[in-house]
Amino acid sequence: MSSLFISSIVPRKTGFGGVCFTANKTTNHHRKVSTGPKATAAGDDEGAKTSSSSSEKKSSSKPSSSLTAGRKRATTTKTTTRRKASASSTRGATTTSANVIENLSEVRVKTRTKKNVGKHGRGAESSSGEEEEEVLLFERRSVFNPSGSHRMEIESKEFIKENGSGDVYVSVTFSLAKKDDVEGNDGEGVENMVLHWATKTTTSEDPNAWIMAPDAIKPANTSEFGDGIASRTPFDGNGKLEFTAKKEDVKEVTEIVGILTRGEEWLHAEEGDMKALTQDPKLVVRAPPSGGSDDDASNDIFGDDPSASVLKKVCDFEGSDNRNLFSRICLLNDVLEDAKECNDKGLGIVLAWLRLSSTKQLPWYEGHNYQGKDMAHLQKVIASRLASVAAKHPDGTSRQYARMAMQFVARGGGNGDDIRLGILNIMREHGIKEGHRPGIEDRFIAQWHQKLHSNTTPDDIKICEAYLHFLHTGNWDDFWTHLWENAKLTREDLAGMKAGWRTEGISGPACHLPHMIDSFKHYLWILKTTHGGADVDTAMGFAQGKISDEARNGVWDILGNRDAHWIPGKIVEVRKCMLSCWKHGGEPDRDVVMLDAALEKFFRTKVEQIDFTSLDQDSKLSLLELAIENVALTGESENMQKSLDYLRRAQGEECGPRWSESWALTMKAALDNVTCAIAKDMDALCAVSNKTAKAIASVAKGSVSDAYLMNFGEEMVRGHALFVAAGLSNAAFNDARNACKNKSPWLVSSNGESPDALAKCAGKVILQNLEDAQGEDFTTKDDGLPVVFFSEKLGGLEDIPKGVSCVITKTPVDVLSHVAIRARNTGAFLASVQNDDIWNALIAQDFKYVAVAKSLDGNSVEFTNVEESEAKTLLSTSSTATSSGGEKKSVSVPKTKATRKLVVFPDAYAVGVVGGKSQSLAASAKVAEKANVIVPASFALPFGAFEKALKKDPETKANLDACLKIASATAKSNDVELRRKALAMARRVVSEGLELPDDFAKELEAAIEQTSKSSTNKVSVDDLWASICGVWASKWTERAFNSRLAVGIKETELSVAVLNMELCDAEYAFVLHSKDPTSSEEDGGADIMCGEICVGLGEALVGNDPGRALGFRVCKKTKQVLEITSQPSKPVAYYSPPNGAYIARSDSNGEDLEDFAGAGLYDSIPTSETSSKPAEYSACDLIWNATFRDDLLQKLCALAVDVETLCGGKAQDVEGCVVVENDGETRLKLVLLQSRAQV
């Protein structure tokens, strides 16, 4: 999908009924929140500075926290969000309907006017009481810890008073509360407490500068500090301070920043300056300063995501001349709170950044020098703050990333001066020359002493260990050997360890003085106290007094028997025992968290040493269960916990004797679910890591090598504890597959979802190993066709070249291999077949152009020979738009009938008035009564409604006409990029700007009132209109436009009606085929019904989600369940929003045509975002309750037969869902959403 396509709600994939679609998970994703020299979106609720920051220089440009991921706005604010996005993204673009628009730069996406028509739904109450109610738009809470006995609790919110004038208000409350370890009432000791404060604004040249607050937000008793910047306001007797103002009066203010004072005392917070947001940071748009640039790497990488502000600060630092480890940790302390508020995106940036630093891709020894005591303090602060995030962050993935980041930081603490003074004492004790003090000349000690004095780092631990090794052997070369083998440090590395006034580095040699061994053993412990903690031994040394006796004894057992076969199980046992020591209500101890992280990493190391091929089937499953438990026990991945629950229950014999066909079918699904969950978590880690590394490398002055950057994301994945689980799951899956009835040799590692590709698994065939095509760009070839690779060998480390839509190989592919991850990231289809006969038969086909897709039953991959003309037009594999000779057919589209009605109901769903979906839904009412099923109430905007609305909005019409003129012109020029941009702009013009006419608003309001059956569903006309416009805009997706172009359908011939209905609160969704398409007539296919069922809404079923649904075959005559062909394994289930929603479904006159597969070309969009969560298969009756399952399948079979009979005996594809009715007795009811002739 083009980056120019901007819409608040988009479907994942067009599919069936009222159960398939979801809003984009990243709301307001279209907003560009600028950062950096051009503009930085400001506003977060907490700071993260060291307490040493000066309070007197409040107007300085020191780094400060910026963006956060705030709570979603209420549905009532969606139109407002769109309006802001349009304004910000089309700055300076103006036009009128009278203008002749010649190019895209003149097209304007205007702001749609909101009608503010109220919510509807049975049970909705008006707020007519005297007490005003608030509509909360944004809310954030945060806590800071100033020095002294109190903590600061801050609450920020933005709201509308419903019974008032509609004005938006901003409210911020600072509250002092006693710290947990301090006795007394909160109000005690708040006398003379004063907030020294100012604001940050969108208009200041420096987004981090303190700016004098506008009078509108200043509380009573506020006085100016006297520097023209800060103000001072005392707290009341209860320790509270409130700020309130109309947003209009403080619209440029993004946050309030301050420091607590008492008399002349500055009570700095551990986190830095305290701050409170005054508006949702996702909606902040800064005015660009003069000379600003749009090409910031962080904007290019993360676009409008709030984490872009964090990444921008990191990139600014890594592009500076002051890059050393201490300065880097200082910045980390500053941005950590912002990163935490950005959840996994922000903490993923921190994790990747620290990884780049730990591997020395980012320099440690540039810029100024510093003192060891400062480094010791700062490392302790960072380790403690990361430990707190790892234990207490509400988001599991964020906790996981924070805990992973701890392996790249030192524990800190100790007496930092001991590092500087310790080496001096050793030198003096043993008579080593120091400056002008006479003594033994030791070049190494003198050089190392200067480093320890000016820029001590964790490298000093390895240097000390290597030096001790030299003191034992007496051979100076042994120092360098030990340093390389244990720390990968070279002579050149030590020579470059200089900073500030130091210019010499470390080169040696050292004198052999073995009598200093004991002194340096003690000194090594001093260094480890500050710089150690990441390995199990060191971490245990510091944590042993902070864990239970049982856990402590367990760790000593592990360290004393490192190579025993039972070590992996013991590690998991000990980590379970340690959970209560750090996952509790208070602040966790950093040493305990670091020990836990070290043990998790040690588990991976021990399992990697096991030869999986030497294990029997049951041993593989047991070890896999242990590997997943090692990850899941901290509660950081709900995906993995649900998969572990499924795997454990599948190990039992509820589905048949162990390793029987029925048992293996369920185990195969459980393992598939495990693999999908691993891929989901690791793909997310890989994505954020790659984006971060790419942005940093772009500014890091060449310090990050291209070779390292290419594999960085995969290396992050390989360092994760789940990596060993992926290998075990793959090995166990093969065992389960071989025990099943269907022993398909095919394994699909990437489903090939690519928003920009129309036939993503089709193209020109190249028979060549992928390794030999590395670095090629097939998009630059003359024909511009996508490429399908048949690569016999696949090493697993290959990249997917540009223009490759599909890779078929004979080599087994691990789901977490480099090539599999890259395939999923780029949207390429990747499948392997472990069968020589099938491979040889494919090669013998000698394909020139081929279309590739998973088979209907999902067990294999199908290949269709296509003509070059089909590949060139990028039609979907199901299209029959070309003749056998390859000539393009002309497709006839049914004509529409004019109607004066703006809204029609089922009794008027006629041919030419609405499309096949609406007609089918109306006809289904005849089946509903007989089959005892539900058909949802609905209404439709008929053909021609869009044109009527467009006619009443001349400006939008002029802009749309201009976009379509440009897009149509590319048919001759074949300028694909220009077409993509023109179509994207056309969609924006309609989806964001098409006005809601008054007559439409009135009709829609009445229709919602008439069709809403839910007591909780409250949808506004504005929300529904936004979805309807999104459906109309989908007429100009690339796939739809190109498909019409390929078969000669004119733009004016294709009309889109919109079918509207309530989104079903589905327990299950299904697709039925009244005639088994996989069986021939001779095999009795006409007497067999087959289908698939997924948990939740049908989005997972019709979309490209990985995994399988429950597959089944039923005899239509006897209603007997003949076979369960697959058990469910899709990792994610989608559900209706808690407050309900409507769905606007596309219903064009170009669907289900004889020579054109137009179904699925146009979008269906809900008014509210659906929720998603990991599917809970361990408690799914479809799997474990055969009686319940078979009863449901028999009902579905009866429904399919009834629909087929109604349609004159023609085979039908039936789509619907299952809902739960509870009127004293819980019952499942079938909902019929759509049927169409089976293709």
Side-chain angles (χ1 to χ4, degrees):
M1 185 179 298
S2 169
S3 61
L4 293 178
F5 179 24
I6 298 179
S7 175
S8 291
I9 301 180
V10 295
R12 287 170 54 90
K13 184 180 178 83
T14 301
F16 66 81
V19 299
C20 315
F21 304 90
T22 181
N24 190 295
K25 298 298 183 293
T26 306
T27 58
N28 305 327
H29 69 90
H30 52 281
R31 173 168 308 285
K32 179 173 182 178
V33 182
S34 303
T35 59
K38 177 178 179 181
T40 299
D44 196 2
D45 55 333
E46 299 182 35
K49 295 190 177 71
T50 60
S51 59
S52 61
S53 60
S54 172
S55 59
E56 285 78 18
K57 51 180 182 179
K58 292 301 122 192
S59 59
S60 67
S61 59
K62 58 187 178 181
S64 174
S65 59
S66 297
L67 282 178
T68 64
R71 297 187 181 180
K72 292 183 176 65
R73 285 177 172 264
T75 306
T76 54
T77 66
K78 177 169 34 175
T79 303
T80 303
T81 300
R82 288 168 175 259
R83 178 168 63 250
K84 289 181 179 179
S86 303
S88 65
S89 59
T90 57
R91 220 169 17 242
T94 59
T95 187
T96 67
S97 59
N99 292 337
V100 177
I101 303 173
E102 297 293 343
N103 56 65
L104 288 179
S105 64
E106 298 176 359
V107 174
R108 175 175 178 263
V109 182
K110 67 179 180 63
T111 299
R112 176 186 298 130
T113 303
K114 189 173 181 180
K115 294 294 183 181
N116 292 316
V117 180
K119 298 279 185 179
H120 289 274
R122 291 167 56 193
E125 298 177 359
S126 63
S127 53
S128 58
E130 293 183 2
E131 183 177 348
E132 290 187 341
E133 296 183 5
E134 295 179 356
V135 176
L136 191 63
L137 305 180
F138 166 71
E139 184 179 38
R140 182 62 52 79
R141 291 181 174 87
S142 55
V143 177
F144 289 85
N145 293 284
S147 57
S149 60
H150 288 77
R151 67 179 183 273
M152 186 70 75
E153 298 175 351
I154 301 176
E155 180 184 27
S156 307
K157 62 181 180 179
E158 186 179 309
F159 61 92
I160 299 173
K161 294 181 179 179
E162 276 199 337
N163 291 346
S165 61
D167 291 330
V168 179
Y169 286 82
V170 172
S171 173
V172 175
T173 303
F174 286 74
S175 302
L176 287 165
K178 282 289 180 67
K179 292 181 178 176
D180 296 335
D181 56 352
V182 177
E183 296 182 358
N185 298 323
D186 291 345
E188 293 179 354
V190 299
E191 301 84 4
N192 302 320
M193 291 287 195
V194 175
L195 185 68
H196 178 91
W197 65 281
T199 63
K200 293 183 181 180
T201 69
T202 59
T203 54
S204 60
E205 184 172 349
D206 178 2
N208 299 311
W210 281 38
I211 303 296
M212 175 64 75
D215 291 340
I217 202 169
K218 291 180 179 178
N221 300 323
T222 296
S223 60
E224 294 189 8
F225 180 61
D227 59 358
I229 298 172
S231 300
R232 289 208 165 186
T233 309
F235 287 79
D236 65 19
N238 296 317
K240 291 187 179 297
L241 177 56
E242 296 184 3
F243 300 79
T244 304
K246 286 185 179 181
K247 184 173 181 178
E248 181 64 25
D249 297 332
V250 291
K251 58 185 177 183
E252 295 174 349
V253 176
T254 58
E255 60 187 85
I256 294 173
V257 288
I259 298 172
L260 185 64
T261 66
R262 180 170 51 201
E264 297 298 319
E265 187 178 8
W266 296 82
L267 306 178
H268 292 283
E270 293 178 3
E271 299 84 358
D273 295 341
M274 300 181 297
K275 53 187 174 181
L277 299 179
T278 56
Q279 55 181 293
D280 189 340
K282 292 185 293 182
L283 304 181
V284 172
V285 179
R286 289 185 54 84
S290 57
S293 171
D294 267 332
D295 58 358
D296 291 329
S298 57
N299 284 344
D300 292 342
I301 298 296
F302 283 105
D304 57 359
D305 191 272
S307 60
S309 175
V310 176
L311 185 54
K312 179 62 175 63
K313 289 183 179 180
V314 172
C315 288
D316 284 348
F317 169 79
E318 297 300 348
S320 71
D321 296 324
N322 189 35
R323 295 187 297 169
N324 59 47
L325 185 60
F326 179 76
S327 297
R328 186 170 293 118
I329 298 176
C330 283
L331 178 62
L332 173 58
N333 192 47
D334 182 68
V335 303
L336 183 56
E337 200 64 33
D338 296 340
K340 184 183 80 172
E341 295 298 340
C342 293
N343 298 327
D344 56 324
K345 289 276 185 71
L347 289 164
I349 291 171
V350 169
L351 173 59
W353 181 31
L354 288 176
R355 168 76 178 188
L356 286 169
S357 177
S358 71
T359 55
K360 302 292 183 63
Q361 292 294 314
L362 302 174
W364 284 17
Y365 301 103
E366 291 182 359
H368 60 76
N369 58 298
Y370 50 86
Q371 295 188 25
K373 62 178 180 141
D374 294 329
M375 174 65 96
H377 170 73
L378 192 59
Q379 288 182 148
K380 178 182 178 181
V381 169
I382 286 297
S384 298
R385 294 184 67 197
L386 283 173
S388 180
V389 177
K392 301 169 71 174
H393 198 288
D395 175 65
T397 304
S398 300
R399 295 196 301 272
Q400 179 185 112
Y401 289 175
R403 201 163 55 84
M404 290 176 65
M406 294 190 73
Q407 65 185 298
F408 305 125
V409 300
R411 69 177 296 273
N415 187 345
D417 267 347
D418 285 350
I419 294 177
R420 178 176 62 87
L421 297 176
I423 190 67
L424 282 174
N425 290 336
I426 291 175
M427 294 171 72
R428 292 170 182 175
E429 178 185 351
H430 295 286
I432 306 298
K433 181 179 179 181
E434 173 211 341
H436 298 294
R437 184 190 297 270
I440 300 171
E441 292 273 0
D442 191 308
R443 183 175 174 81
F444 166 76
I445 293 291
Q447 293 170 337
W448 188 28
H449 160 244
Q450 292 301 324
K451 177 190 182 302
L452 292 165
H453 184 77
S454 61
N455 57 9
T456 180
T457 69
D459 282 342
D460 293 314
I461 293 177
K462 300 302 180 182
I463 292 173
C464 189
E465 290 174 342
Y467 180 62
L468 279 167
H469 181 66
F470 157 71
L471 291 180
H472 281 93
T473 68
N475 186 341
W476 181 240
D477 287 339
D478 289 345
F479 170 84
W480 297 111
T481 301
H482 189 281
L483 202 59
W484 171 252
E485 291 178 349
N486 292 276
K488 294 296 181 283
L489 289 172
T490 66
R491 296 172 189 264
E492 292 74 18
D493 291 330
L494 265 65
M497 291 181 180
K498 26 182 137 173
W501 52 267
R502 289 194 61 252
T503 59
E504 189 175 4
I506 301 174
S507 58
C511 298
H512 185 226
L513 304 171
H515 60 282
M516 295 198 300
I517 288 177
D518 288 340
S519 296
F520 274 100
K521 281 183 177 179
H522 175 68
Y523 190 65
L524 177 60
W525 181 251
I526 292 175
L527 291 171
K528 285 186 175 182
T529 299
T530 294
H531 295 308
D535 62 283
V536 177
D537 298 87
T538 306
M540 180 56 180
F542 293 114
Q544 59 178 316
K546 305 170 184 178
I547 56 179
S548 66
D549 291 343
E550 181 182 358
R552 181 166 52 254
N553 293 334
V555 177
W556 289 130
D557 278 347
I558 292 168
L559 296 180
N561 301 274
R562 298 171 190 260
D563 296 324
H565 70 276
W566 46 264
I567 286 296
K570 188 66 175 180
I571 291 174
V572 174
E573 177 187 322
V574 170
R575 291 189 65 219
K576 282 182 183 177
C577 184
M578 284 174 52
L579 282 176
S580 61
C581 300
W582 64 278
K583 290 182 74 68
H584 46 68
E587 287 297 326
D589 188 281
R590 71 189 191 284
D591 289 323
V592 179
V593 182
M594 294 186 87
L595 175 59
D596 179 77
L599 285 170
E600 183 186 52
K601 183 178 179 181
F602 191 53
F603 176 94
R604 190 200 74 198
T605 301
K606 302 311 297 181
V607 174
E608 284 177 337
Q609 296 172 356
I610 299 174
D611 179 11
F612 297 164
T613 61
S614 66
L615 301 176
D616 60 33
Q617 295 172 324
D618 291 318
S619 296
K620 291 176 191 174
L621 288 174
S622 297
L623 188 56
L624 172 62
E625 183 178 332
L626 203 59
I628 299 173
E629 185 178 10
N630 180 55
V631 173
L633 63 86
T634 53
E636 295 164 351
S637 174
E638 190 179 4
N639 292 319
M640 295 314 306
Q641 183 60 58
K642 298 303 182 186
S643 293
L644 177 61
D645 294 342
Y646 191 7
L647 178 65
R648 282 173 168 165
R649 189 163 183 181
Q651 293 247 45
E653 297 189 353
E654 293 178 77
C655 292
R658 200 170 180 84
W659 297 107
S660 65
E661 286 188 2
S662 59
W663 182 93
L665 186 70
T666 305
M667 177 54 69
K668 178 184 170 185
L671 292 168
D672 188 31
N673 181 255
V674 166
T675 300
C676 292
I678 291 174
K680 180 179 174 62
D681 284 2
M682 294 301 95
D683 285 352
L685 172 60
C686 183
V688 71
S689 300
N690 278 331
K691 290 175 181 178
T692 301
K694 178 182 177 183
I696 293 175
S698 69
V699 299
K701 303 178 181 180
S703 63
V704 182
S705 70
D706 291 341
Y708 185 83
L709 185 64
M710 177 177 292
N711 298 314
F712 180 72
E714 287 71 37
E715 287 304 311
M716 291 292 291
V717 168
R718 289 176 181 275
H720 195 283
L722 276 177
F723 186 75
V724 293
L728 279 165
S729 180
N730 192 48
F733 182 85
N734 288 332
D735 293 339
R737 180 178 60 189
N738 290 333
C740 289
K741 176 182 178 181
N742 182 353
K743 301 179 176 63
S744 173
W746 284 99
L747 179 64
V748 177
S749 301
S750 173
N751 283 331
E753 184 172 16
S754 175
D756 287 332
L758 310 181
K760 50 185 174 292
C761 300
K764 179 173 60 177
V765 172
I766 293 182
L767 187 61
Q768 179 185 14
N769 286 332
L770 195 63
E771 180 182 9
D772 298 330
Q774 296 299 283
E776 288 200 45
D777 183 354
F778 293 96
T779 63
T780 62
K781 306 301 181 183
D782 292 339
D783 53 18
L785 290 175
V787 169
V788 175
F789 259 88
F790 282 82
S791 177
E792 182 173 2
K793 296 180 179 179
L794 206 61
L797 295 177
E798 296 88 347
D799 285 315
I800 304 294
K802 289 183 178 180
V804 174
S805 65
C806 176
V807 177
I808 305 297
T809 182
K810 194 174 74 169
T811 306
V813 178
D814 192 293
V815 70
L816 289 186
S817 65
H818 175 101
V819 70
I821 293 174
R822 287 297 172 91
R824 292 192 293 271
N825 287 345
T826 59
F829 185 91
L830 174 61
S832 58
V833 55
Q834 301 173 47
N835 183 291
D836 289 340
D837 292 337
I838 294 177
W839 176 261
N840 293 333
L842 282 173
I843 301 304
Q845 290 285 331
D846 195 24
F847 294 118
K848 301 299 181 185
Y849 303 93
V850 69
V852 186
K854 288 194 340 187
S855 63
L856 186 63
D857 61 10
N859 289 319
S860 61
V861 178
E862 296 177 342
F863 300 81
T864 305
N865 192 25
V866 296
E867 300 293 334
E868 180 180 2
S869 58
E870 277 187 282
K872 282 187 175 181
T873 54
L874 297 178
L875 291 177
S876 64
T877 59
S878 61
S879 175
T880 56
T882 56
S883 65
S884 59
E887 296 178 359
K888 186 164 62 177
K889 286 188 176 182
S890 177
V891 173
S892 176
V893 179
K895 292 184 178 181
T896 62
K897 295 179 180 179
T899 177
R900 294 183 178 181
K901 295 182 178 180
L902 302 179
V903 171
V904 294
F905 292 90
D907 58 355
Y909 290 174
V911 176
V913 176
V914 291
K917 285 190 181 78
S918 301
Q919 295 173 50
S920 172
L921 193 68
S924 299
K926 299 176 182 179
V927 179
E929 185 175 350
K930 176 184 177 182
N932 193 28
V933 299
I934 301 170
V935 174
S938 66
F939 63 91
L941 275 67
F943 296 135
F946 169 68
E947 289 74 15
K948 290 177 182 177
L950 189 64
K951 187 176 180 181
K952 296 182 179 184
D953 187 351
E955 184 176 351
T956 295
K957 185 177 186 305
N959 284 287
L960 178 61
D961 289 345
C963 292
L964 298 182
K965 180 179 179 182
I966 294 169
S968 298
T970 63
K972 294 181 179 180
S973 65
N974 200 29
D975 189 337
V976 176
E977 186 60 30
L978 178 60
R979 180 187 304 172
R980 178 175 291 120
K981 291 180 179 179
L983 292 174
M985 186 61 75
R987 295 194 297 272
R988 287 192 53 208
V989 164
V990 174
S991 64
E992 296 180 31
L994 182 60
E995 297 289 354
L996 171 57
D998 291 337
D999 50 352
F1000 275 79
K1002 182 178 180 180
E1003 294 273 355
L1004 289 174
E1005 184 178 11
I1008 294 172
E1009 186 71 32
Q1010 181 175 334
T1011 57
S1012 179
K1013 303 299 182 184
S1014 170
S1015 61
T1016 60
N1017 197 351
K1018 301 178 181 180
V1019 62
S1020 73
V1021 172
D1022 287 300
D1023 290 341
L1024 183 57
W1025 183 253
S1027 296
I1028 290 169
C1029 289
V1031 172
W1032 281 333
S1034 71
K1035 179 179 177 180
W1036 296 288
T1037 61
E1038 289 182 72
R1039 183 176 179 223
F1041 183 86
N1042 289 346
S1043 295
R1044 294 194 302 271
L1045 189 67
V1047 296
I1049 298 177
K1050 297 178 181 178
E1051 289 298 297
T1052 55
E1053 293 177 338
L1054 196 286
S1055 187
V1056 179
V1058 183
L1059 175 62
N1060 304 277
M1061 64 176 67
E1062 284 189 296
L1063 191 64
C1064 296
D1065 188 14
E1067 193 75 15
Y1068 308 108
F1070 57 81
V1071 172
L1072 311 175
H1073 308 289
S1074 67
K1075 173 186 174 182
D1076 184 0
T1078 63
S1079 301
S1080 64
E1081 294 285 349
E1082 292 77 13
D1083 295 332
D1087 295 328
I1088 298 174
M1089 183 277 295
C1090 67
E1092 289 186 312
I1093 305 177
C1094 73
V1095 176
L1097 300 178
E1099 179 182 348
L1101 193 57
V1102 302
N1104 205 31
D1105 285 32
R1108 300 290 303 276
L1110 175 76
F1112 58 91
R1113 299 170 75 240
V1114 182
C1115 176
K1116 291 158 66 175
K1117 293 181 178 179
T1118 64
K1119 305 299 186 295
Q1120 178 185 356
V1121 178
L1122 300 176
E1123 182 183 11
I1124 301 298
T1125 57
S1126 63
Q1127 292 281 27
S1129 62
K1130 288 180 177 290
V1132 177
Y1134 300 92
Y1135 296 94
S1136 180
N1139 292 327
Y1142 267 67
I1143 184 167
R1145 300 175 57 199
S1146 60
D1147 194 21
S1148 79
N1149 62 337
E1151 300 183 25
D1152 303 319
L1153 304 181
E1154 182 178 351
D1155 293 319
F1156 180 61
L1161 287 178
Y1162 311 105
D1163 295 344
S1164 296
I1165 304 175
T1167 56
S1168 297
E1169 182 179 1
T1170 56
S1171 61
S1172 64
K1173 62 182 182 180
E1176 198 166 355
Y1177 292 124
S1178 63
C1180 180
D1181 285 336
L1182 286 177
I1183 302 172
W1184 312 110
N1185 188 336
T1187 301
F1188 166 85
R1189 179 195 64 207
D1190 290 353
D1191 180 61
L1192 177 59
L1193 299 187
Q1194 289 166 1
K1195 289 180 180 178
L1196 293 177
C1197 180
L1199 173 61
V1201 171
D1202 288 340
V1203 172
E1204 185 180 74
T1205 302
L1206 175 70
C1207 297
K1210 295 181 179 179
Q1212 297 288 303
D1213 290 335
V1214 182
E1215 299 160 356
C1217 63
V1218 182
V1219 298
V1220 176
E1221 283 192 345
N1222 195 339
D1223 52 1
E1225 180 182 354
T1226 301
R1227 296 190 304 273
L1228 294 181
K1229 294 286 291 186
L1230 302 185
V1231 179
L1232 178 58
L1233 294 166
Q1234 180 175 305
S1235 69
R1236 57 159 54 97
Q1238 191 169 316
V1239 179

